Amino acid sequence: MSTAHRISQVAAHLAAVVRERLIAPLGAAPAGAEGAQRLLELGASDALRELYALAHPADRAAATRLATALRRAGGDEDEETAALLHDTAKGRTGLLARILHVLEGSPVGGAARGPLRLERQRLRQHATVVVTLARSAGASPRCVEILTDLAALEAHGTGRREAHGDGAAMRLFLLDSGGRA
């Protein structure tokens, strides 16, 4: 992940929080509202929509942008659903922990140490945890497979480019990392 992408992520996190806390109360749609609507259009279960709704505003906003990019790139409904859910296991982890996590390179292994270590540990483990959450909430088998493959890609980085299923997880991984699908 490039430094420019990390800075972009931090800026997007800040913008989503500002929108959620300052602008939405004035009548604007909350961060990620389009994603919630898209899940409804995709026929997602109530449990999947609730999982999405409980995510941090920054995750909802980023997931919505990602799902839109996948749709434009020819992604199907399972890919869009996976995109909308992929960061939901981060929960309402605070903004400072998220910024620290991004600045330290968004690690997925090992134990977080130091300030906000429990929140940063949740961020390190979110990709594997979301697989169980999505399955339990009624995600399709293919959506769960995409999330499972995405977790493997995140754990092993871009060096692991061998085929995964139909390539949906790789497209999601590349777009989420600031690249192109």
Side-chain angles (χ1 to χ4, degrees):
M1 182 184 307
S2 72
T3 301
H5 183 67
R6 287 188 185 124
I7 291 169
S8 171
Q9 276 190 306
V10 169
H13 277 73
L14 291 170
V17 170
V18 166
R19 180 175 179 158
E20 186 84 4
R21 299 214 174 114
L22 301 177
I23 299 172
L26 299 175
E34 302 89 0
Q37 179 59 38
R38 186 63 184 146
L39 280 171
L40 188 62
E41 293 166 359
L42 292 169
S45 69
D46 289 345
L48 287 173
R49 293 194 326 268
E50 180 68 17
L51 182 61
Y52 178 82
L54 291 173
H56 190 278
D59 294 327
R60 292 192 317 265
T64 299
R65 288 189 302 274
L66 187 56
T68 300
L70 278 169
R71 185 170 54 251
R72 287 182 182 148
D76 63 26
E77 293 181 356
D78 286 319
E79 289 179 73
E80 281 188 72
T81 302
L84 289 165
L85 299 176
H86 83 284
D87 278 342
T88 55
K90 291 179 179 179
R92 290 285 177 156
T93 301
L95 188 59
L96 182 56
R98 290 164 177 279
I99 291 170
L100 290 173
H101 180 72
V102 168
L103 294 177
E104 67 183 350
S106 301
V108 294
R113 299 193 192 319
L116 304 169
R117 75 178 187 287
L118 296 177
E119 288 184 299
R120 290 180 22 250
Q121 189 66 31
R122 181 181 313 126
L123 296 172
R124 289 175 181 223
Q125 297 171 334
H126 83 278
T128 55
V129 172
V130 76
V131 173
T132 302
L133 294 174
R135 182 182 295 118
S136 297
S140 73
R142 182 158 176 273
C143 179
V144 172
E145 179 184 351
I146 293 168
L147 292 169
T148 301
D149 289 347
L150 180 62
L153 285 166
E154 288 191 11
H156 296 94
T158 56
R160 186 174 179 187
R161 289 185 170 262
E162 67 268 15
H164 287 274
D166 59 7
M170 182 58 79
R171 286 187 291 279
L172 179 54
F173 178 78
L174 290 173
L175 285 169
D176 194 35
S177 300
R180 294 180 183 234

